[in-house]
Amino acid sequence: MKQLSAIITFAAAAALGAACTGASAAPETEVIWSSVNLEPDSTGTSYYRQTFTVMGDLSEIDKIGFNQFARVMRMENPADTLTELVPGYYTISSSRLGREAAAGRDTVVFEILTKGRLSNICYGPDGVHAVLADGTTRPLKFTRESMLADKSRWSTSEVDNMPYGDAVFAINEALAGASEVSPYDAIPSFKSVTLTGGDTEVNPSEIEFIEAGADAKGPEWFRATVADGKIVVECAADRRGAVAARLGHLFGASKRTLPAAVIEDYPDLGYRGLMIDIARNYQTPQEINRLLDMMAAYGLNLFHFHFSDDEAWRLEIPGLPELTELASRRGYGKDESEHLFQIFCGNGNPDSKEGTPNGYFTREDFIGMLRHADSLGIRVLPEIESPGHARAAIKAMEKRYRTTGDASWRLIEDGDTSVYTSAQSFHDNVVNPALEGPYKLMKHVASALKDMYAEAGVELPAIHIGGDEVPHNSWSGTPSVQKLMKEKGFKSEKQVHAYFVEKVQDIFKEMGLKYSGWQEIAVGHDDAYNARVRDNVYGVNCWSTIGGQEGVVAEATRGGYPVVLSNVNHYYLDMLYNYHPEERGLSWGGTVDEFDALHGYPARLSPDVSKVKGVQAQVWAETIRSPKDLERILFPKLLGVAERAWNNDSTYTDADFNAVINTRELPAWDKLGLTYHVRQAGIRRQPGNESMLEMNAPYANAEIRYTLDGTDPEESSALYTAPVAIPAGATQARGRLWVNGHPSLVTILFL
């Protein structure tokens, strides 16, 4: 099996940690990482080889820590040991480190055989750091060798999903020929625009508002009259901030001349949401407030605040300091008694302020965010993940038990022998519904949330309780749950899950609160359960498209639940834009770009669109390492969701939608300093003249830079202006777009 070994270079690992955290690198030690996919073995099993090369000062290093999505991995050298501290966090220890340092040598190479196929940089290592002999940590410089250096790094003979130049060319060609963009082409598009003749100079920052009349078509309807040097808007008083945000984004803040017109608009769906996960990787209040501004600009009106999950708890709760003291901090340690183990990225230090591993919203931060959202007409829906995805809360309440002796807050019990694996490979992330601790925690947190909303002077629409992805056999060895099942006559763990949901519902109902949940709270249950719980449900996020219109959405609708379409194939924005190996994002749900989002028609995702409450986009944060990563994954995908949430039926063609983004949105984002995703350059042999290459772009103002020697194009590379002759001996062409200084990924065409 030597030919299947994976090599991990410590120098590369160090550089990766610095890239993840933004921490200053220790110049004397570097880790360089590369990978190669191996052809399937005789049993059909695939492997890939990772190479971590550690170079520099090895004298103080006891271990190398790194993060990687959980995989089956094996060290090839018997002198090396790979330890999994928690799924996704590993350390490598080796007697060779000490021997090489003692001998005055400065390089160690570690080999790891990794099961599967590496298709994407996000599945490679991250958070690389050194662990010293005294248990302290040190950032390392980490460098990834390019995934594009060799075809074997992203493909095998059986699987190759790279978007090559000719395929990209065809996509770009299909986006050509769009209609001319008018001053009133907006995203989301208006229900009607009536030109009334002539032009008028207006100041969009000085909108005159008047109360909506009896002809208003719903609470969010507005009519804007652009004439006689002013913009007059009729709308409900509580909608003024939202309408001002939309029109301000469309027209800008400076005086301009517009065709005189009357705009009339209203949304087809009342719930138009965006969920951002700050548990997996943290985002600051400043970044969230910035994104709330963008939500308002695109007519979105509900922010789903995902602040708790297995990997962290990110909101200060008075009376329970452990939730943030322990569960908002991640790093290296002997155990998780004071902080969680590092997951996804970091530099090993749980107190580091760099990057996205650590941090939380204070009570004041949250209240400020609520007020800002309210000023924009956006409701905030907080989520307390339960009964699964609760590992961070479990660890925090165990600390409370150890330090206070109060067992009433415990979420698990001693003697539990249940063996399970969650979707994220955890084995200890489910609370015990037979204990009182989970309900005490839910009530306390709900009460704290109510108090914060009251202080902010903002309505609390509901509390999302999660309810998703409870692993099979979660309570198979839990003594108190087995006793409960016997007493209640429960035949399955599904009934235990339903019992938990009902008990939480009863608590919330007594507090005057509604609740939301993922689809698992509404599907797979009997009619009696549905009748008991559905009236207090604010929304059910249906994310699965399995079964099409006869599947999850249809079942939830039949059960009488308010359905919020949250489908992975259209609205999970954390999926890859495409299968390029250097694209960030997950791929378990396929790919999602701005056009996939645009094609998420509610009537096609539900058997009865009249029973759909709304549409919601999701951004899970496993692959996000910075505000720029978050913005790049949101824009322009979020615009497709906004268009479909506001207008259920067909509006823009793909070409026209792309033209509006190119003409209006990209310049606006540049002024705001937003980071956004840029589509790739197309490359093909010229039809009828195979010795010539032609290239194209999906944007009118893009530059294409190219190379013909196998290197990646830079801003100083040759500028494409006309078809290019293929030089003798050239084996590939590479192209890259630049739009207003924003680069695309590199496109490759093998010749």
Side-chain angles (χ1 to χ4, degrees):
M1 295 289 289
K2 183 69 173 178
Q3 68 275 19
L4 298 180
S5 63
I7 302 174
I8 291 189
T9 309
F10 283 12
L16 178 56
C20 166
T21 63
S24 58
E28 69 275 13
T29 312
E30 181 181 13
V31 180
I32 301 171
W33 173 82
S34 65
S35 68
V36 60
N37 287 299
L38 305 166
E39 292 299 318
D41 66 12
S42 59
T43 68
T45 304
S46 296
Y47 298 89
Y48 60 94
R49 174 181 297 135
Q50 300 184 87
T51 301
F52 283 59
T53 302
V54 185
M55 302 184 301
D57 181 5
L58 309 178
S59 60
E60 296 182 343
I61 298 177
D62 184 56
K63 300 180 181 71
I64 296 293
F66 69 96
N67 295 111
Q68 190 169 30
F69 287 125
R71 293 288 183 270
V72 175
M73 297 191 286
R74 176 167 59 85
M75 303 299 298
E76 286 294 293
N77 191 317
D80 308 333
T81 301
L82 182 69
T83 302
E84 182 185 74
L85 301 179
V86 68
Y89 187 29
Y90 303 91
T91 61
I92 300 172
S93 55
S94 174
S95 58
R96 295 193 292 141
L97 280 167
R99 289 203 307 267
E100 296 301 295
R105 290 186 284 267
D106 62 358
T107 301
V108 177
V109 175
F110 293 86
E111 297 184 336
I112 301 179
L113 176 65
T114 309
K115 190 174 182 180
R117 184 177 65 89
L118 186 66
S119 59
N120 172 300
I121 56 169
C122 295
Y123 293 88
D126 208 335
V128 179
H129 59 277
V131 178
L132 309 184
D134 62 0
T136 60
T137 61
R138 189 178 77 196
L140 296 172
K141 182 181 179 184
F142 182 79
T143 303
R144 289 186 180 95
E145 290 187 4
S146 173
M147 286 281 289
L148 302 185
D150 186 87
K151 189 175 181 179
S152 65
R153 296 193 177 187
W154 71 79
S155 68
T156 66
S157 60
E158 296 183 344
V159 181
D160 186 352
N161 294 319
M162 165 73 91
Y164 288 108
D166 47 358
V168 178
F169 192 101
I171 294 170
N172 292 346
E173 196 169 41
L175 294 175
S179 305
E180 183 178 351
V181 177
S182 83
Y184 294 109
D185 281 330
I187 299 175
S189 52
F190 298 128
K191 286 292 189 294
S192 70
V193 177
T194 304
L195 299 180
T196 56
D199 294 335
T200 184
E201 186 181 57
V202 297
N203 188 341
S205 64
E206 297 177 0
I207 297 174
E208 180 182 334
F209 285 98
I210 60 176
E211 190 65 25
D215 60 344
K217 298 178 178 69
E220 296 188 84
W221 172 91
F222 73 90
R223 180 161 50 216
T225 301
V226 183
D228 302 325
K230 58 184 178 179
I231 301 174
V232 179
V233 174
E234 303 167 64
C235 69
D238 63 355
R239 296 297 301 159
R240 292 179 181 180
V243 175
R246 282 198 66 200
L247 297 182
H249 180 72
L250 175 63
F251 297 135
S254 303
K255 281 187 177 182
R256 59 178 302 176
T257 299
L258 293 170
V262 176
I263 303 166
E264 190 169 351
D265 204 17
Y266 54 88
D268 290 339
L269 294 172
Y271 181 123
R272 306 177 301 281
L274 170 64
M275 186 220 76
I276 295 179
D277 164 19
I278 70 164
R280 270 59 179 270
N281 281 291
Y282 181 62
Q283 297 291 332
T284 66
Q286 293 75 21
E287 178 65 10
I288 295 301
N289 284 333
R290 173 179 166 89
L291 295 177
L292 288 169
D293 292 338
M294 300 310 298
M295 286 180 62
Y298 299 117
L300 300 175
N301 68 350
L302 186 133
F303 175 52
H304 180 162
F305 185 54
H306 189 89
F307 68 82
S308 69
D309 213 298
D310 292 321
E311 298 88 352
W313 183 288
R314 305 291 193 183
L315 178 61
E316 179 185 19
I317 301 297
L320 294 177
E322 298 86 358
L323 288 170
T324 46
E325 288 176 356
L326 182 144
S328 74
R329 301 165 59 236
R330 302 195 297 234
Y332 176 77
K334 293 182 179 179
D335 55 35
E336 294 179 291
S337 60
E338 298 300 325
H339 58 79
L340 297 175
F341 280 135
Q342 179 169 298
I343 304 174
F344 303 122
C345 70
N347 59 15
N349 180 3
D351 297 315
S352 173
K353 304 299 183 184
E354 302 291 338
T356 57
N358 308 316
Y360 65 91
F361 274 54
T362 67
R363 189 175 186 277
E364 291 72 24
D365 290 335
F366 185 63
I367 290 170
M369 186 262 282
L370 291 176
R371 289 173 174 159
H372 184 63
D374 187 62
S375 73
L376 299 169
I378 297 172
R379 293 158 290 164
V380 178
L381 176 69
E383 180 175 2
I384 313 168
E385 271 279 20
S386 61
H389 284 287
R391 189 175 187 274
I394 290 168
K395 296 296 183 182
M397 292 301 96
E398 286 298 284
K399 178 181 180 181
R400 186 175 185 84
Y401 171 53
R402 288 193 306 273
T403 56
T404 68
D406 183 358
S408 67
W409 293 95
R410 293 191 76 192
L411 308 180
I412 56 175
E413 68 177 319
D414 296 331
D416 190 340
T417 60
S418 304
V419 177
Y420 61 85
T421 302
S422 76
Q424 286 73 33
S425 300
F426 293 110
H427 316 294
D428 55 355
N429 74 333
V430 182
V431 305
N432 181 342
L435 301 179
E436 285 305 309
Y439 309 108
K440 186 174 182 179
L441 177 68
M442 295 295 280
K443 184 174 182 178
H444 183 94
V445 176
S447 179
L449 287 167
K450 279 191 70 175
D451 289 346
M452 286 185 271
Y453 277 77
E455 185 170 331
V458 172
E459 176 192 0
L460 171 56
I463 295 175
H464 202 292
I465 66 169
D468 60 316
E469 294 187 329
V470 176
H472 183 60
N473 288 330
S474 290
W475 303 298
S476 58
T478 309
S480 59
V481 171
Q482 293 303 308
K483 180 182 177 183
L484 174 71
M485 292 179 71
K486 186 175 181 180
E487 291 173 351
K488 299 288 186 180
F490 294 160
K491 304 299 182 184
S492 70
E493 291 190 352
K494 185 74 173 179
Q495 292 173 292
V496 178
H497 185 279
Y499 170 85
F500 174 84
V501 172
E502 283 197 67
K503 284 203 68 170
V504 173
Q505 178 209 233
D506 291 343
I507 292 168
F508 284 8
K509 201 168 186 178
E510 287 181 6
M511 301 174 70
L513 295 172
K514 286 186 173 291
Y515 70 103
S516 290
W518 298 102
Q519 65 191 37
E520 287 88 337
I521 74 164
V523 299
H525 303 284
D526 58 32
D527 292 341
Y529 166 88
N530 293 336
R532 291 194 299 270
V533 305
R534 64 189 170 208
D535 290 343
N536 207 44
V537 174
Y538 182 73
V540 173
N541 298 93
C542 294
W543 55 268
S544 174
T545 55
I546 295 173
Q549 292 196 352
E550 298 304 315
V552 166
V553 173
E555 183 179 347
T557 301
R558 286 195 301 268
Y561 292 96
V563 168
V564 179
L565 298 173
S566 308
N567 302 65
V568 60
N569 309 81
H570 299 283
Y571 306 139
Y572 268 44
L573 306 189
D574 53 294
M575 294 297 111
L576 293 159
Y577 277 92
N578 59 50
Y579 288 113
H580 193 290
E582 294 192 338
E583 190 70 81
R584 295 204 73 81
L586 298 176
S587 59
W588 64 267
T591 62
V592 175
D593 67 8
E594 57 267 41
F595 304 118
D596 294 309
L598 182 68
H599 300 161
Y601 294 98
R604 302 176 193 176
L605 300 175
S606 170
D608 187 352
V609 73
S610 68
K611 295 181 179 178
V612 170
K613 182 182 180 80
V615 162
Q616 180 171 292
Q618 283 65 234
V619 180
W620 302 102
E622 291 96 329
T623 66
I624 291 172
R625 300 291 181 267
S626 68
K628 289 183 180 297
D629 281 351
L630 176 57
E631 291 170 8
R632 189 175 180 276
I633 218 163
L634 277 170
F635 303 107
K637 290 187 198 184
L638 185 62
L639 277 61
V641 180
E643 183 66 33
R644 284 291 73 84
W646 194 273
N647 299 296
N648 291 176
D649 293 330
S650 298
T651 47
Y652 293 115
T653 65
D654 286 1
D656 286 348
F657 188 67
N658 186 66
V660 175
I661 291 173
N662 178 29
T663 302
R664 191 178 309 291
E665 301 304 330
L666 301 188
W669 295 340
D670 287 332
K671 289 180 181 178
L672 293 170
L674 280 174
T675 301
Y676 52 85
H677 182 269
V678 174
R679 300 185 70 84
Q680 292 171 235
I683 312 173
R684 72 176 181 183
R685 290 179 181 268
Q686 194 174 48
N689 189 354
E690 293 285 299
S691 65
M692 301 291 288
L693 289 174
E694 57 182 358
M695 306 178 194
N696 67 358
Y699 312 111
N701 57 338
E703 287 187 352
I704 303 175
R705 301 282 176 171
Y706 69 93
T707 62
L708 299 170
D709 60 0
T711 61
D712 290 344
E714 302 295 340
E715 286 189 274
S716 58
S717 299
L719 175 66
Y720 177 80
T721 57
V724 177
I726 301 174
T731 60
Q732 60 179 277
R734 297 192 177 204
R736 176 183 274 169
L737 289 183
W738 270 267
V739 178
N740 304 328
H742 296 267
S744 72
L745 296 178
V746 173
T747 303
I748 297 175
L749 179 70
F750 287 109
L751 303 173

